[in-house]
Amino acid sequence: MFIDVLTIFPEMVDLVTGWSILKRAIDRGLVTIRAVNIRDFAADRHRTTDDTPYGGGPGMVMKPEPVVGAIEYAKGTRPGRVILLSPQGERFTQAKARALSGENHLILVCGRYEGIDERIRAFVDEEISIGDYVLTGGELPAFVVIDAVVRLLPGVLGNEASTEEESFAGGLLEYPQYTRPSVFRNLPVPEVLLSGHHAKIQAWRKEMALKRTKKRHPALYARYLREKEGAGHDG
Ligand code: SAM
């Protein structure tokens, strides 16, 4: 997979390329992550990327020419899906991450200032929000998307099963996990996990995932029940 991050702060991209699983994925050629500096597509000597809003109001607005120039440059290298990070976009989910992991080239456009000139939206395939809050720029949201997508690419995680069992994958939050020691500050690991009885462990994990999802994420639990019921009718 090829990922372009269109930003006025290209150095920020080092945040996701330099460590851990993403760095390994890059080193092994499973993904290429490139920063495209929007300033390089500004027409003036000062490489201006913002201007005051028509009609007045606070803050500055990202100019269309450099952003669209950067999008066209990225698309020119290979066809790609253009995604604008925006608090006004569709909420990012694990299902979305899974869908995007099937793309060949993601072009992530990071807004800054008070936002972007509305006409930029005509050059974008979709908008993604990482939650109902406003950040100062689209870089952190882009990194959230990159992290969630890249770990789903085949070969990136050592154990493929780990993305199948974790939260959201099966429509539920993940069951509680424990590691050594078996007792920590008087807190024991549940007996069943020490039993070596595979079927019992699976049953306990399922039960815990159901309980946990019902308590912590009732909407997800309701959807799980609906889908389970639907599958029952179909089958
Ligand atoms: N005034 C804009 C609005 O109300 O929609 C918000 C602009 S925000 C200060 C600057 C940039 O940060 C946005 O253009 C977007 O790229 C990014 N951003 C902020 N919050 C975000 C979120 N929750 N999800 C995705 N991107 C976000």
Side-chain angles (χ1 to χ4, degrees):
M1 173 179 271
F2 202 93
I3 303 178
D4 274 320
V5 183
L6 279 46
T7 168
I8 58 169
F9 297 117
E11 300 81 9
M12 282 183 77
V13 176
D14 297 346
L15 209 63
V16 281
T17 56
W19 285 273
S20 179
I21 288 171
L22 263 66
K23 179 175 171 9
R24 265 208 322 273
I26 293 166
D27 291 346
R28 288 162 58 206
L30 300 170
V31 64
T32 301
I33 302 176
R34 173 174 71 168
V36 175
N37 190 347
I38 293 173
R39 282 192 198 287
D40 291 345
F41 301 88
D44 65 319
R45 202 159 55 87
H46 301 290
R47 310 214 297 162
T48 313
T49 53
D50 62 327
D51 207 338
T52 52
Y54 275 122
M60 301 294 272
V61 174
M62 272 190 119
K63 289 165 68 61
E65 306 94 319
V67 177
V68 172
I71 291 173
E72 287 173 346
Y73 165 75
K75 284 185 95 164
T77 55
R78 52 177 62 66
R81 185 156 188 82
V82 182
I83 297 171
L84 173 68
L85 285 310
S86 157
Q88 302 176 28
E90 180 193 330
R91 180 73 68 86
F92 190 54
T93 60
Q94 187 66 15
K96 187 76 208 175
R98 177 83 50 197
L100 292 180
S101 70
E103 296 283 337
N104 291 322
H105 183 196
L106 298 179
I107 300 167
L108 304 177
V109 184
C110 306
R112 276 273 156 185
Y113 315 114
E114 271 311 300
I116 60 157
D117 185 294
E118 188 64 20
R119 292 164 293 185
I120 293 170
R121 291 197 152 89
F123 299 84
V124 162
D125 296 314
E126 64 179 307
E127 293 184 37
I128 288 181
S129 164
I130 61 158
D132 287 347
Y133 41 81
V134 178
L135 300 165
T136 54
E139 288 79 7
L140 293 177
F143 302 159
V144 167
V145 170
I146 290 172
D147 193 294
V149 169
V150 171
R151 66 194 293 284
L152 295 176
L153 297 178
V156 167
L157 294 187
N159 180 5
E160 296 293 331
S162 53
T163 65
E164 280 157 30
E165 291 217 348
E166 67 193 356
S167 294
F168 304 109
L172 294 171
L173 301 179
E174 195 182 53
Y175 48 79
Q177 297 270 28
Y178 296 87
T179 186
R180 270 177 279 273
S182 59
V183 180
F184 172 70
R185 309 233 174 141
N186 276 338
L187 299 168
V189 169
E191 202 60 45
V192 63
L193 297 180
L194 311 175
S195 69
H197 193 298
H198 189 64
K200 275 189 187 158
I201 292 171
Q202 288 306 98
W204 179 86
R205 285 180 165 166
K206 183 68 183 276
E207 186 194 335
M208 289 299 123
L210 284 165
K211 274 191 181 153
R212 187 164 268 206
T213 309
K214 187 175 180 188
K215 183 154 186 257
R216 296 188 185 191
H217 202 327
L220 185 66
Y221 184 71
R223 193 166 74 213
Y224 172 82
L225 291 184
R226 269 199 314 276
E227 281 173 12
K228 203 169 154 234
E229 199 160 297
H233 288 317
D234 291 345

